[in-house]
Amino acid sequence: MSFILYAIMIGILDGGIYALMACGLTLVFGVMEVINVAQGSLVILGAYMSYVLASTLHLNLYLGLLITMPATFLLGMAIEWAFLRRLRVDRIALSILVTYGVSLAIEGGLGMIFGDTYVALPAPSGTFTLFGYATPDIKLYVFLMACAFLAGLYVLLYRTTFGAALRATVQNRTAAQLIGINVERISTLTFALGAALAAAGGMAFGATRSFHPGSAEDLISRLLVIIVLGGFGSLGGALVGALLFLVVEDMVSVLISPIWGPVVFFAGLILILLVRPQGLFGQLEARRQ
Amino acid sequence: MAMRGIPGTVRGWGAWAATAAVASLLLGGGAVGAARVRHASQPPIIIGLSSSLTGDFSADGKANVQGYRLWAAYVNAHGGLLGRKVVLKILNDNSDPSQVITDYQSLINQYHANLLFGPFSTLLNPPAASVARRYGYMLIEGNGGGPSVFAQHNAYLFDVSSPTQNQLVAFAQWLTSLPKSERPKTAAYATYQDPFTQPQIDLCRKMLQAAGIKTVSYQVFPDETTDFTPIALKIVHSKAQVVVVGSLINLAAAMVNTFRQQHYNPEVLSFTAGPDQGSQWLQVVGGAKMTEGIMVEISWTPFLDTYQNALLDHLYTSTYGGSPESMSSDVAETFSVGQVLQQAVEATHSINNATLRAYIENPHHVFQTVQGPVHYIAGGWGQSSAPAYIGQWQNGKLVFVYPPFISKGAKPEFPKPNWP
């Protein structure tokens, strides 16, 4: 029994990290109607930036975020300005193509600089006991960090003027423009915020497993599944989607077989989408917020 | 294939001997001079090949071409084949099976290739070999050893490298050779659902079960899996004495880290890939102490004491720079393709495909390659006897421990020491 409880807890701890990585993706869609398939690459870029700072400057991983998050924030602004702002028609479909190109460019650049070899961030090696099993401290630390970022994001969205403008844009882009909200500026800042959160997620991802430039490919498919389940544009949906995904996958892996983990999850996802095509907390929920 | 610590003396002498041989051939003999005269007067031998210079397999595809080019350059520097210069005609298949078919048709019909070499991967060699068979050409390749390649029953295809499925055979032979009183009783297996690793694990499991080693955990998981903790935990829970994992480096590292955290110490821990990655492996597991006693299956490294392997190290570093450790095993595998062809051509004095095919498929004809001696297995549809070896981390170095002809006295460390 303790083995199963432990698997659930591991799913929750990892789910927090995935929620952090996915929240930028869902915010960007909510505000901009852009499916940012470069989010996985931005996560891995963030992981590599943390790796460089930790291995060359011996900077603490958490302190390193003070550099990596602003840097990816600026990169996000540049990407939005250079590629996404210009998309006027068929925005969703074209955004997939454009951000896929950005993703390939990032992956290719990382490959040229770092090669196609796996690296791991120098995380502390201590453990604590959970249901009788040793658990790496770092899993708990990065989970708490992810929770802190998600809480901060919640405050930003629901307790600030910027958040109100952002939510207004999510609800109705045209109406937001009519009441004087600078929608383009909000879009730029949202995309940049998503990129900065990806950098934080990248640190958490890289601290708990090894990665290489191609890791983004597996990652983005999982992140997209999470926000489809949670509902495009919903922050709470990203959190619940991530936790459900990881817990179900881990539970099925230990109880039945790892090969059935994704199968069971996707079967559940299809059933949910048949009942709620907008996902668990889709647009309707986001608009009500 | 970065690997350190294999005794360097033999390799050093090998390199000197190879250099001396190259020098004597370049400076000396009338035979070479005569060959050069023929070289100039006869048309070149065109060897056609397609490789994945772009697309999913581009990294391996480029290495695939490097091996062929190194071989061709070496052969041409020594008078060519039968006194004729070797010219490689290389097309790009973009990692696409449809393009491979077009490429090999073009190589035969448009470029009038005399002989064909294979592309990269288990995916692309079967369509290439089908085209070759249709036109009566043989196809020698080194980078496609999955079961699906041989399942085609194409008698025109020859894979120079160790068949994928056999990579763990040496490991299973070693375990089953232990006295029954010492032999472990239980084993756990985990593998990607992958045409490369799963057949190895399944064959190994079958061999160990036949020797009385009970399977207590068998897990297959999708390629897309990124969270390996539940898989590792299930193995921990099984308390197996032997753990065999069909892996890549990230999976192998995750397993080691979880096993160590859970204080789970199997007597034997073996991976199909990962611990062979030298400094990269040490980085992801946290140093040499963490890897003591871990085994990995290896079909080739730059330090293997095999025919012309030291020469290949020299050719690679002088042509592409870097160190031998930076050389991909793909390079050695395609260099071996050239070696087999060369030995067959020299033995038959022919570049006729039917003649060469008859010579190569004869299981009594042994070819010396950088991967070791190989012959083709009767009824094996192109499977070679190329061996795979067991490497084990001992005192911070990866050493060969089995079979005895390659281990040079080194013994497997058994049982594996506990985690530090």
Side-chain angles (χ1 to χ4, degrees):
Chain A
M1 187 61 188
S2 62
F3 182 42
I4 296 166
L5 289 173
Y6 182 70
I8 293 172
M9 283 310 299
I10 289 293
I12 291 171
L13 294 178
D14 283 336
I17 300 170
Y18 275 84
L20 179 61
M21 294 187 284
C23 65
L25 190 60
T26 204
L27 268 186
V28 166
F29 179 82
V31 172
M32 301 170 65
E33 293 191 331
V34 159
I35 297 178
N36 177 21
V37 294
Q39 185 78 359
S41 295
L42 288 167
V43 167
I44 299 302
L45 175 66
Y48 269 106
M49 290 168 85
S50 292
Y51 172 72
V52 169
L53 292 173
S55 57
T56 57
L57 302 178
H58 306 289
L59 202 59
N60 177 287
L61 291 177
Y62 304 98
L63 287 178
L65 291 178
L66 297 175
I67 297 173
T68 62
M69 290 183 72
T72 47
F73 186 90
L74 292 175
L75 177 67
M77 288 178 80
I79 292 171
E80 195 280 335
W81 176 82
F83 302 111
L84 298 173
R85 188 174 296 183
R86 286 143 223 287
L87 303 178
R88 299 289 177 195
V89 291
D90 206 3
R91 202 172 163 82
I92 293 179
L94 284 177
S95 70
I96 294 174
L97 285 176
V98 168
T99 54
Y100 183 61
V102 171
S103 173
L104 288 180
I106 293 172
E107 191 180 326
L110 290 174
M112 282 175 66
I113 297 168
F114 297 102
D116 196 35
T117 56
Y118 278 90
V119 294
L121 295 182
S125 58
T127 58
F128 65 101
T129 303
L130 191 62
F131 299 113
Y133 289 89
T135 310
D137 290 343
I138 188 70
K139 271 193 187 279
L140 180 64
Y141 294 159
V142 294
F143 173 77
L144 293 175
M145 181 192 79
C147 291
F149 274 116
L150 290 171
L153 192 58
Y154 182 86
V155 170
L156 181 72
L157 291 182
Y158 294 101
R159 299 285 183 272
T160 66
T161 311
F162 168 75
L166 188 149
R167 284 183 291 123
T169 310
V170 169
Q171 286 173 19
N172 192 320
R173 198 177 165 89
T174 310
Q177 273 178 318
L178 288 173
I179 61 168
I181 293 172
N182 186 340
V183 169
E184 286 204 338
R185 185 166 160 270
I186 292 291
S187 297
T188 306
L189 291 175
T190 303
F191 195 88
L193 184 62
L197 290 169
M203 189 281 267
F205 184 80
T208 49
R209 67 209 75 202
S210 50
F211 57 93
H212 72 135
S215 301
E217 290 164 18
D218 290 333
L219 199 52
I220 187 59
S221 59
R222 295 166 78 85
L223 297 182
L224 285 170
V225 165
I226 285 167
I227 66 165
V228 167
L229 173 63
F232 277 102
S234 167
L235 196 58
L239 179 61
V240 174
L243 293 178
L244 268 178
F245 187 11
L246 272 295
V247 169
V248 168
E249 199 176 60
D250 285 1
M251 283 283 291
V252 175
S253 292
V254 299
L255 287 176
I256 308 171
S257 159
I259 203 82
W260 287 101
V263 176
V264 170
F265 174 80
F266 279 104
L269 176 65
I270 290 168
L271 288 176
I272 289 170
L273 292 181
L274 284 173
V275 181
R276 286 187 61 83
Q278 73 272 37
L280 291 174
F281 304 92
Q283 282 290 352
L284 293 175
E285 175 69 15
R287 285 182 181 156
R288 193 162 60 243
Q289 287 169 349
Chain B
M1 282 284 178
M3 198 176 119
R4 296 171 201 286
I6 303 299
T9 316
V10 173
R11 183 176 158 267
W13 280 110
W16 280 110
T19 307
V22 170
S24 66
L25 284 167
L26 288 174
L27 298 173
V32 173
R36 283 198 174 142
V37 172
R38 289 199 299 273
H39 207 282
S41 63
Q42 295 192 62
I45 295 172
I46 300 171
I47 301 179
L49 67 110
S50 166
S51 195
S52 304
L53 303 179
T54 54
D56 288 350
F57 308 145
S58 59
D60 291 294
K62 285 166 190 163
N64 162 289
V65 168
Q66 284 181 336
Y68 288 136
R69 283 195 167 131
L70 288 176
W71 170 79
Y74 177 72
V75 165
N76 284 333
H78 295 81
L81 279 181
L82 302 179
R84 294 168 64 182
K85 186 182 176 189
V86 170
V87 172
L88 297 179
K89 180 64 194 170
I90 302 169
L91 302 180
N92 177 13
D93 56 43
N94 193 31
S95 312
D96 176 9
S98 303
Q99 187 60 42
V100 161
I101 292 172
T102 308
D103 283 358
Y104 278 89
Q105 286 172 337
S106 301
L107 288 166
I108 294 167
N109 295 317
Q110 187 182 342
Y111 297 103
H112 307 293
N114 301 102
L115 299 161
L116 297 176
F117 283 166
F120 175 80
S121 85
T122 291
L123 177 70
L124 300 183
N125 270 294
S130 295
V131 176
R133 176 171 56 183
R134 200 179 311 144
Y135 289 92
Y137 280 66
M138 61 168 189
L139 185 93
I140 316 179
E141 54 98 356
N143 295 149
S148 59
V149 173
F150 312 112
Q152 277 208 323
H153 293 187
N154 184 339
Y156 290 73
L157 176 139
F158 298 97
D159 178 20
V160 176
S161 307
S162 177
T164 301
Q165 192 175 339
N166 295 351
Q167 295 281 316
L168 281 163
V169 166
F171 171 75
Q173 285 171 339
W174 165 67
L175 263 182
T176 54
S177 73
L178 293 173
K180 206 164 182 181
S181 57
E182 290 179 27
R183 199 184 303 162
K185 306 283 185 292
T186 57
Y189 307 86
T191 176
Y192 282 107
Q193 189 180 39
D194 173 307
F196 192 75
T197 57
Q198 196 176 349
Q200 301 176 43
I201 295 292
D202 288 349
L203 180 60
C204 175
R205 182 184 174 207
K206 194 173 159 190
M207 292 174 72
L208 296 189
Q209 283 189 158
I213 300 174
K214 188 180 165 195
T215 300
V216 290
S217 174
Y218 175 75
Q219 300 182 80
V220 180
F221 46 90
D223 282 351
E224 299 77 28
T225 304
T226 54
D227 180 18
F228 305 112
T229 310
I231 298 162
L233 282 175
K234 215 168 168 182
I235 294 175
V236 173
H237 211 60
S238 76
K239 298 186 171 65
Q241 293 168 291
V242 176
V243 176
V244 191
V245 183
S247 58
L248 294 174
I249 189 168
N250 57 335
L251 166 61
M255 289 278 173
V256 167
N257 290 334
T258 305
F259 291 168
R260 188 165 48 81
Q261 282 153 8
Q262 303 302 332
H263 308 291
Y264 166 58
N265 286 289
E267 291 175 19
V268 179
L269 175 56
S270 183
F271 296 99
T272 58
D276 56 338
Q277 301 294 310
S279 55
Q280 189 187 169
W281 169 248
L282 295 178
Q283 202 273 334
V284 294
V285 293
K289 277 186 187 171
M290 306 301 174
T291 196
E292 181 68 21
I294 292 176
M295 291 177 164
V296 63
E297 281 58 54
I298 301 171
S299 56
W300 174 85
T301 85
F303 304 101
L304 206 54
D305 183 19
T306 49
Y307 175 68
Q308 290 189 333
N309 201 30
L311 169 69
L312 174 61
D313 291 352
H314 172 71
L315 292 173
Y316 180 85
T317 51
S318 58
T319 307
Y320 298 111
S323 62
E325 293 98 314
S326 61
M327 185 178 5
S328 160
S329 58
D330 298 331
V331 176
E333 287 166 359
T334 49
F335 191 84
S336 303
V337 169
Q339 290 178 307
V340 168
L341 176 72
Q342 183 178 6
Q343 288 163 41
V345 167
E346 286 169 356
T348 59
H349 301 285
S350 170
I351 59 162
N352 178 280
N353 273 272
T355 308
L356 289 170
R357 189 166 73 83
Y359 183 82
I360 291 173
E361 72 182 3
N362 186 332
H364 298 295
H365 293 152
V366 177
F367 302 91
Q368 297 299 326
T369 78
V370 292
Q371 300 181 89
V374 302
H375 66 265
Y376 285 88
I377 299 162
W381 301 108
Q383 290 184 67
S384 80
S385 64
Y389 314 103
I390 303 177
Q392 185 179 42
W393 281 91
Q394 294 184 356
N395 302 315
K397 294 175 179 176
L398 185 58
V399 294
F400 290 112
V401 293
Y402 196 85
F405 79 85
I406 205 78
S407 67
K408 305 212 180 298
K411 299 263 188 251
E413 196 172 21
F414 170 76
K416 186 187 95 59
N418 289 349
W419 303 110

